[in-house]
Amino acid sequence: MARDIPGIAAPARTDLPVLKPFRPGSFAPDSMAWSRWLAGLPPWTPLALLAVAFAWPTVAVAQTDMSAGEAWGILVRWIPFIVGSGFVFTVLISILSMLIGTLLGAMLGLAQISKNGLVRRFAWSVTQLFRNSPWLVILYIVLLALPFEVVIFGAVLAIPDWVKAVFGLSLPIMANISEIVRGAVQSVPTAQWEASESLAFSRRQTLWQIILPQCFKRMIPPWMNWYAILTMATPLCSLLGVEETITLTRQALEAENNRPALLVPFYGFALILFFAYCYPIARWTISLERKFAVKL
Amino acid sequence: MTPNSGWTPDQPIISLRNVHKSFGELEVLKGVTFDVMKGEVVCIIGPSGSGKSTLIRCINALNDIQEGSIQVEGQEVHDAHLDKLELRKKVGMVFQQYNLFPHKTALQNIMMAPVKVLKEPKEEVEKRARALMAKVRLQGKEDAYPGELSGGQQQRVAIARSLAMRPDVMLFDEVTAALDPETVKEVLVTIKDLAAEGMTCILVTHEMGFAREVADHIYFTDRGVIVEHGPPATFFTEASDPRTKEFLSQIL
Ligand SMILES: Nc1ncnc2c1ncn2[C@@H]1O[C@H](COP(=O)(O)OP(=O)(O)O)[C@@H](O)[C@H]1O
Ligand SMILES: [Mg+2]
């Protein structure tokens, strides 16, 4: 008995049960697959990775100009630099991008369920554009399109590259958050809209007081999933010269004359850093998803 | 509704004239006409798919109509300038599937609309909500979430939730159809109390015994038209329309 609520439900033809037609898209992997996979790894995975990274010089015979112990010693000297400056900056970039992306994405998502068809089409197009474009391309366009300085009230304000990178990364996040919001709102049965409408709630009141509170929790796990994906994507910024983890790792290696035996341990260490940061997030995400699935 | 609509309580509180409603090509209501007086209880019966739900959903403007006129307290519902929210403050509706807000307790479900929509003071609304919980015989369940209540209990909360808006008319769409036979009675008792207090009610129902007992007038709809109607005393015994006869013979 679904009625057409603009932006919420496609017009229902009948309330008779019908067989759902085959939908090719239904076989697409779900968007949480990444967190699910990561959370499924055993906690000793980083140790195994670390061991492999350091066994590398010993195994790769051609490159053994250095023992594992020696490589470790060199890495330890660089860890404060790579973690203290690089990874901290990575985390900062990811948090800022997430904040901006969430804010813009929430607005775009609500625009996607607007009563106004024009607003809806526009928001949908923006969402699809940024959801389906390569992140690196978006980053480059933002880098080149934004001026390197702006003039506000006569004061010249330089825009550093890392700010552009934050903005560039926030765009695909925005698009994906927009889809999360739209999907969550549309997952609430239209009967809830009708019940509150017949109690004389306005559309705005219905959305904010009845619908969003019901689906807010549902949005948290996919939102966290996108945060972890975003963090994993921040090394893209190193291509813009932003001094995050990978850029600093490369600088450290250069300072060590790019000795081949160091390459795998250093980049391996960077990998473990990302893993160590994202793994608990993924575990938490999946446990929240389970919890919310049981209780609305 | 508006003070200048010229409506007085001796006129029909709800008045339908030649109402036509289509979903695209499908014409669901094909000219429905009837009046309901203040304090009357009207039952609408008829086979599934005959447009009963559509009909009562047009009365509180959940569905729009293509032709004809629906007036509630003299106010035309089929009017582009109608303030639907004002109309719905006067016309309560209870659904087959209860449709309680799952994230709110029973008491909060009842309090929400008066507080948020009517902007009435919270303490006053809470007092009224507790009284309504007692009225539908659910004292002690105030803090239960809908998921913790049985179907019959949820439906009674839904009735109380509608009543909290102090409507002039109540619409019931097969409110017992989704319930176990044992819990049907507790909901019917609640509605009967309401009817006895003089609430104007329009009920879509398949409970013939109930209709016979509480209805002032019964309408039988089939394929979008009213084919038979009358007070219960004569409706069940003197039906002349063959479709009505067949339906009644199946259901009684
Ligand atoms: N939103 C809708 N869109 C299209 N057709 C609808 C819609 N709602 C109901 N119908 C159709 O209208 C007819 C009457 O439905 P309904 O009023 O629910 O009948 P009843 O309540 O008497 O069983 C049915 O054929 C149904 O499929
Ligand atoms: Mg129905």
Side-chain angles (χ1 to χ4, degrees):
Chain A
M1 203 46 215
R3 188 175 47 103
D4 181 22
I5 298 172
I8 302 304
R13 290 260 159 57
T14 167
D15 51 359
L16 294 174
V18 285
L19 273 177
K20 290 251 164 66
F22 170 74
R23 273 191 21 248
S26 60
F27 284 96
D30 79 318
S31 61
M32 297 281 285
W34 187 78
S35 280
R36 247 186 275 288
W37 169 78
L38 190 58
L41 293 177
W44 46 259
T45 311
L47 296 177
L49 279 174
L50 202 64
V52 170
F54 281 99
W56 186 261
T58 333
V59 177
V61 188
Q63 304 174 336
T64 34
D65 55 340
M66 181 185 297
S67 71
E70 243 179 301
W72 175 248
I74 295 170
L75 176 62
V76 165
R77 270 194 283 124
W78 284 104
I79 283 179
F81 177 66
I82 294 174
V83 177
S85 318
F87 199 71
V88 166
F89 201 41
T90 291
V91 171
L92 181 75
I93 290 173
S94 67
I95 290 176
L96 287 177
S97 298
M98 196 65 195
L99 281 177
I100 297 172
T102 303
L103 212 72
L104 296 178
M107 293 193 288
L108 195 61
L110 292 177
Q112 276 206 89
I113 50 167
S114 162
K115 206 169 161 180
N116 183 321
L118 218 64
V119 173
R120 215 156 60 217
R121 298 285 313 169
F122 175 75
W124 179 83
S125 309
V126 173
T127 301
Q128 294 308 319
L129 175 68
F130 286 108
R131 224 163 76 93
N132 297 314
S133 304
W135 291 30
L136 188 55
V137 176
I138 297 176
L139 267 178
Y140 275 131
I141 291 176
V142 167
L143 183 75
L144 299 173
L146 285 187
F148 60 92
E149 56 182 33
V150 284
V151 181
I152 301 173
F153 301 125
V156 177
L157 210 67
I159 305 180
D161 281 352
W162 71 267
V163 172
K164 295 182 187 177
V166 163
F167 184 62
L169 284 175
S170 74
L171 291 176
I173 291 300
M174 165 192 79
N176 284 289
I177 301 300
S178 165
E179 275 300 274
I180 292 174
V181 171
R182 186 193 58 77
V185 168
Q186 291 185 341
S187 74
V188 177
T190 50
Q192 289 286 314
W193 286 86
E194 304 208 320
S196 56
E197 273 178 273
S198 60
L199 286 166
F201 281 91
S202 67
R203 187 183 162 102
R204 175 178 288 267
Q205 283 175 321
T206 302
L207 182 64
W208 287 93
Q209 290 170 15
I210 310 292
I211 305 299
L212 286 175
Q214 280 184 54
C215 58
F216 181 71
K217 278 186 183 170
R218 242 173 266 174
M219 299 188 231
I220 295 173
W223 178 77
M224 287 166 63
N225 177 58
W226 276 105
Y227 176 65
I229 293 176
L230 167 67
T231 307
M232 290 288 190
T234 51
L236 290 174
C237 302
S238 72
L239 295 169
L240 313 187
V242 176
E243 305 214 308
E244 48 66 70
T245 311
I246 300 303
T247 307
L248 294 200
T249 301
R250 201 163 51 223
Q251 287 177 4
L253 281 168
E254 254 153 45
E256 294 294 337
N257 300 319
N258 284 323
R259 280 151 78 188
L262 288 177
L263 295 180
V264 173
F266 268 63
Y267 284 115
F269 176 72
L271 185 66
I272 290 159
L273 271 182
F274 280 96
F275 180 92
Y277 186 68
C278 292
Y279 180 67
I281 296 175
R283 296 283 287 221
W284 191 21
T285 303
I286 297 306
S287 78
L288 280 181
E289 193 197 26
R290 288 212 187 97
K291 198 171 122 198
F292 295 157
V294 181
K295 199 170 146 278
L296 194 78
Chain B
M1 189 130 318
T2 43
N4 57 7
S5 72
W7 179 76
T8 53
D10 56 319
Q11 295 167 340
I13 189 164
I14 290 178
S15 172
L16 281 77
R17 288 289 170 275
N18 191 31
V19 170
H20 287 259
K21 162 75 188 168
S22 311
F23 292 107
E25 295 283 283
L26 178 71
E27 189 169 35
V28 176
L29 301 178
K30 303 167 186 161
V32 174
T33 299
F34 68 82
D35 286 334
V36 181
M37 299 302 291
K38 194 166 168 55
E40 252 189 333
V41 176
V42 163
C43 285
I44 299 171
I45 61 176
S48 176
S50 61
K52 306 180 298 296
S53 300
T54 308
L55 177 62
I56 68 168
R57 290 155 60 91
C58 289
I59 297 174
N60 73 345
L62 276 183
N63 286 341
D64 56 356
I65 63 174
Q66 272 71 50
E67 212 187 304
S69 143
I70 300 178
Q71 292 194 351
V72 175
E73 294 183 358
Q75 181 84 21
E76 180 57 55
V77 175
H78 180 41
D79 173 357
H81 303 293
L82 167 84
D83 185 346
K84 287 185 183 173
L85 301 185
E86 281 306 315
L87 168 76
R88 289 173 187 155
K89 287 176 191 169
K90 303 277 178 196
V91 183
M93 178 144 184
V94 186
F95 301 85
Q96 182 175 334
Q97 294 294 344
Y98 344 125
N99 300 349
L100 293 180
F101 306 134
H103 61 303
K104 298 281 179 184
T105 64
L107 195 70
Q108 288 168 339
N109 261 280
I110 299 174
M111 289 175 59
M112 246 184 130
V115 171
K116 306 279 186 193
V117 175
L118 302 180
K119 312 263 187 249
E120 294 180 347
K122 218 171 163 174
E123 303 72 47
E124 196 183 297
V125 174
E126 180 168 345
K127 223 187 277 166
R128 196 158 88 224
R130 288 187 185 280
L132 281 168
M133 282 295 280
K135 186 185 165 115
V136 299
R137 301 181 175 83
L138 282 173
Q139 297 108 309
K141 295 286 183 192
E142 283 82 359
D143 297 325
Y145 283 90
E148 301 161 354
L149 298 172
S150 74
Q153 291 171 332
Q154 287 190 57
Q155 194 58 293
R156 282 180 284 156
V157 173
I159 294 173
R161 179 175 70 173
S162 254
L163 290 176
M165 295 291 280
R166 291 195 272 226
D168 295 342
V169 180
M170 287 285 284
L171 309 173
F172 296 87
D173 188 3
E174 296 198 40
V175 292
T176 56
L179 300 178
D180 304 329
E182 313 91 73
T183 51
V184 166
K185 220 178 129 210
E186 63 194 31
V187 174
L188 293 184
V189 165
T190 306
I191 300 174
K192 219 183 287 178
D193 289 349
L194 213 56
E197 285 166 21
M199 173 66 79
T200 310
C201 297
I202 300 180
L203 299 122
V204 174
T205 184
H206 284 143
E207 302 288 332
M208 293 304 147
F210 175 77
R212 175 178 287 187
E213 202 180 327
V214 302
D216 294 305
H217 212 86
I218 299 177
Y219 292 89
F220 180 84
T221 60
D222 190 23
R223 288 172 233 168
V225 287
I226 293 173
V227 291
E228 182 87 47
H229 68 96
T234 55
F235 179 83
F236 289 101
T237 49
E238 293 163 28
S240 55
D241 175 78
R243 278 179 283 181
T244 315
K245 277 185 182 163
E246 195 197 328
F247 182 76
L248 290 177
S249 69
Q250 279 169 5
I251 215 158
L252 286 176

